Amino acid sequence: MLSFKIKVNGQTINCKSEISPLLLLKKIGKKNDVIYCGARMNHKIIALSTIIREDCELAFIDISNPQGLEIYRRSVAFVLARAVFELQRNSRLSIYHSMANSFYYDF
């Protein structure tokens, strides 16, 4: 039987089945005014959809954190690229660069 502990915000949570950080947020109750965009599991950045199956320390990343802001910007850039491809089926992405605090696309 699967059993592991997740330490988050100084609190230890016992889990009997695998769980994602997103489901864990719902379980422990998240702040409504905070936008979480990732998590740090044992000092490694992971997606909120990553499945956790082992003991770990977990910290949630929101957009007020520089790493969180980068995750958010990159996600929005991918959504923009996808939207362009949906609207302009014949378009091709020829250049994609990360530049300081922004992204550059050439379609």
Side-chain angles (χ1 to χ4, degrees), residues 4 6-9 13 15 17-31 34-62 71:
F4 57 95
I6 299 175
K7 187 173 183 181
V8 58
N9 298 333
I13 299 168
C15 298
S17 63
E18 57 189 26
I19 191 168
S20 70
L22 187 59
L23 289 175
L24 189 60
L25 266 174
K26 291 177 182 177
K27 184 176 180 178
I28 64 176
K30 68 174 188 164
K31 298 177 187 173
V34 178
I35 299 172
Y36 294 103
C37 54
R40 192 175 299 107
M41 183 173 121
N42 297 333
H43 307 287
K44 179 183 174 191
I45 295 176
I46 60 171
L48 291 174
S49 60
T50 302
I51 300 299
I52 300 172
R53 298 179 178 97
E54 61 191 38
D55 292 347
C56 66
E57 286 190 34
L58 191 70
F60 292 100
I61 302 172
D62 63 57
I71 293 168

